[in-house]
Amino acid sequence: MAGSPYPDMEDPIVSKQSTYYSPLLENDENSSMARVPTKKLVKGLLVILSVLMFVCLFVSSLMGGGERKEVKESALAAGRSTEIPAQVMSRGVAEGVSEKKFNPKLTGGAEFDWSNEMLSWQKTGFHFQAQKNWLNGPMFYGGWYHLFYQYNPQGAKWGNIVWGHAISRDLVNWRHLPLAMIMDQWYDAKGVWTGSATILSDGKIVMLYTGSTNQSVQVQNLAYPADPSDPLLVKWVKYSGNPVLVPPPGINVKDFRDPTTAWQTSEGKWRIAIGSKVNKTGITLIYETEDFKKFELLDGVLHSVSNTGMWECVDFFPISMVEDNGLENNVIGDGVKHFLKESSDDTRYDYYALGTYDPVKGVWTPDNNEIDVGIGMKVDYGKFYASKTFYDQNKKRRVLWGWMPEADSESSDVKKGWASVMAVPRTILFDKKTGSNVLQWPVEEIESLRTNSTNFNKMEVTPGSVLSLEVGNATQLDITAEFEVDPKAFSAITEVDAAYSCSRGGGAAQRGAAGPFGLLVLADENRSEQTPVYFYVTKGSDGKLKTHFCNDKSRSSLAGDVYKGIEGGVVPVLEGEKFSVRVLVDHSIVDTFAQGGRTCVTSRVYPTRAIFESARVFVFNNATAAKVTASVKIWQMKSAEFTS
């Protein structure tokens, strides 16, 4: 391959300017920016071993029968440091993130008087968190999974963004390493933002990342391991010729970010995609390079959708329609779809669609324009953003990571000393049954944390009832549940409710003929606090049944300074299928996966009473006509190991 991206270490500029970085904390001048030329796309792709690493900028067992109690009532109507100069800067959209403020209109009350006990309970047991302060990505190399993430060593707020670094053998237990990169050059003086790694044909790694310059211009920079033979990748070097990409003509200097992992063409060149917008149209630009130092902007765009705003954290990869494993980034041909995802800067949701990629024209076309990127399916319908995938060549799977922001007040974050969590990593597969969506599921390694389990088989849950599931401490759980509904209930749905949605509905307290029914998690004994996870079946204007899957946080906390909306979306339930859900409860996180992962909802909840030994689990049926038979299995989950 022409032009190695690795510098000559004898180069005096490189040897003098190479910067190594210290561990996580416990507690220039302008250069000329030449216009980038454009050219036509070329044919084909070659096999590469590529791994996506994202640091998206949002800122960015014992078996047995269980005892149950029935309550007949209307179900729910009732140690080393690095000195980094602190900077005061806005955290608005212009900086690539939204301001986080307590909003009484959203949360409905004054700031709550949180006790230290309540705040300490919120820290998760098996979701990855920074050791402290503010966190906002992954790759497999040298036998280790590497997680690089946006981190503020100065406090539990967005700002002073550098790269934290942790490693794992199993995606569950993690070891914190020294900071990977800090903002120490003019081209990243206001933040080391999103990055993606590419493993080249010779096994070397190149890393492209977005830097916010001293003038708040978003540019793309090159970095590489100081010692490629080091499997821990502790030390990184920034290329002396940075930035390698600047905003092209017609693109706002603050709307040019988040390079993807590269894929290779039949001519041996590499391509990357970068998110942007033109007016209110979200777009994906494609660049081509031979050496990751000089790039050419290709004519046109990979894809665009009007009225979707800025696309950040774009992800683009092939997905097999026939095989139950992931594909490397280069794969194209029969039996392959391409998955395109963007993180909407306007809505703070991740949207995706499936379609066809034409490598000659450099264009991706959605299978269904009505559910195009930015207007159709969401990766997750809850607090889940800035997701990125990587191809795990170790297990031949596509793994997705996402970032979960807080939904409480900023002052609470400051008091507890940390903010934000990474979601449990998920595998992604094509849904062969529907042919229109993907399936997301927690990586199998998470099951290594399961301990004692309790079964509740064939429980009859009559309309308007709640059953208590006695499992002991219900703070860290892995739950699988199936619900069978008497078909007569569906014929009892006489009213057309085409406008129903989780967010616009009345939550789990709104009763219909065939819903809601499901589970109550993080509930106290009297259910003064509870988070329902439920199905609700309606009839559309076409007379067809439609199933909604929701997480209702409206009664999740007595505190007034937390977001307590109802989150969720439609989930396909095919003929002959039972209603099924998997729920991971981990303190202030409730991860839910409906129908094998067709629809996912991640919620942040902040109870004041349903904590520690007071947390309980219930199964409920608040439908007016449906008789529900529920089978539930609940595992206690031990905590993962997080070491320095």
Side-chain angles (χ1 to χ4, degrees), residues 107-275:
T107 54
E111 193 160 327
F112 189 76
D113 184 18
W114 293 94
S115 69
N116 289 332
E117 182 183 43
M118 295 174 188
L119 294 176
S120 67
W121 176 88
Q122 293 176 13
K123 198 167 184 69
T124 60
F126 56 88
H127 286 72
F128 179 87
Q129 294 182 252
Q131 290 171 309
K132 62 185 297 185
N133 298 336
W134 195 94
L135 169 143
N136 173 11
M139 86 184 203
F140 183 81
Y141 181 81
W144 293 91
Y145 293 101
H146 292 259
L147 182 64
F148 300 87
Y149 56 91
Q150 289 198 23
Y151 175 67
N152 178 8
Q154 298 296 330
K157 301 179 181 180
W158 190 86
N160 311 300
I161 296 302
V162 300
W163 277 14
H165 184 192
I167 57 172
S168 173
R169 291 288 194 186
D170 57 9
L171 292 172
V172 175
N173 304 291
W174 293 89
R175 171 185 165 191
H176 291 283
L177 292 181
L179 294 180
M181 283 189 282
I182 63 174
M183 44 191 207
D184 59 356
Q185 303 294 326
W186 70 266
Y187 50 77
D188 57 17
K190 292 192 176 181
V192 181
W193 290 357
T194 309
S196 289
T198 299
I199 299 182
L200 305 180
S201 303
D202 59 4
K204 293 180 179 178
I205 300 173
V206 292
M207 186 81 75
L208 292 174
Y209 73 92
T210 297
S212 181
T213 74
N214 53 359
Q215 299 296 319
S216 296
V217 177
Q218 294 172 10
V219 299
Q220 313 313 316
N221 304 305
L222 173 64
Y224 31 78
D227 180 8
S229 66
D230 175 17
L232 303 188
L233 301 176
V234 172
K235 297 179 180 180
W236 289 80
V237 176
K238 296 178 182 179
Y239 172 50
S240 60
N242 282 333
V244 295
L245 273 174
V246 301
I251 296 299
N252 188 288
V253 297
K254 296 182 180 180
D255 297 329
F256 182 68
R257 53 186 179 265
D258 310 344
T260 65
T261 290
W263 65 95
Q264 199 169 25
T265 72
S266 59
E267 295 181 350
K269 298 181 179 181
W270 298 86
R271 291 177 180 170
I272 63 168
I274 295 178

Side-chain angles (χ1 to χ4, degrees), residues 601-612:
V601 188
T602 298
S603 295
R604 300 302 309 276
V605 295
Y606 306 92
T608 63
R609 295 179 179 176
I611 60 177
F612 297 109

Side-chain angles (χ1 to χ4, degrees), residues 45 50 52 196 258-263 271-274 284-286 302-303 313-319 327-332 337-342 353-359 362-365 373 387-390 398:
L45 295 170
S50 65
L52 258 166
S196 289
D258 310 344
T260 65
T261 290
W263 65 95
R271 291 177 180 170
I272 63 168
I274 295 178
T284 302
L285 303 168
I286 296 185
L302 177 68
H303 192 57
C313 302
V314 169
D315 203 358
F316 182 62
F317 59 86
I319 187 167
L327 299 176
E328 295 177 337
N329 281 26
N330 65 286
V331 177
I332 194 168
K337 294 281 187 185
H338 269 75
F339 176 108
L340 178 61
K341 184 235 92 182
E342 63 93 8
L354 299 175
T356 302
Y357 173 57
D358 184 335
V363 173
W364 176 88
T365 304
V373 180
S387 62
K388 266 293 178 80
T389 67
F390 73 99
R398 176 69 56 171

Side-chain angles (χ1 to χ4, degrees), residues 433-481:
K433 293 182 179 180
T434 65
S436 60
N437 56 270
V438 298
L439 301 172
Q440 302 175 62
W441 202 247
V443 294
E444 61 185 0
E445 290 89 337
I446 290 295
E447 297 173 14
S448 67
L449 299 177
R450 290 173 170 174
T451 58
N452 295 343
S453 65
T454 308
N455 285 322
F456 304 89
N457 293 317
K458 299 292 183 180
M459 296 177 289
E460 297 297 328
V461 192
T462 56
S465 57
V466 177
L467 307 181
S468 176
L469 306 181
E470 301 302 314
V471 295
N473 192 317
T475 287
Q476 291 181 200
L477 302 175
D478 188 351
I479 307 171
T480 59

Side-chain angles (χ1 to χ4, degrees), residues 468-496:
S468 176
L469 306 181
E470 301 302 314
V471 295
N473 192 317
T475 287
Q476 291 181 200
L477 302 175
D478 188 351
I479 307 171
T480 59
E482 289 186 340
F483 303 91
E484 299 177 73
V485 178
D486 184 348
K488 295 179 182 178
F490 301 132
S491 59
I493 305 175
T494 56
E495 295 184 2
V496 173

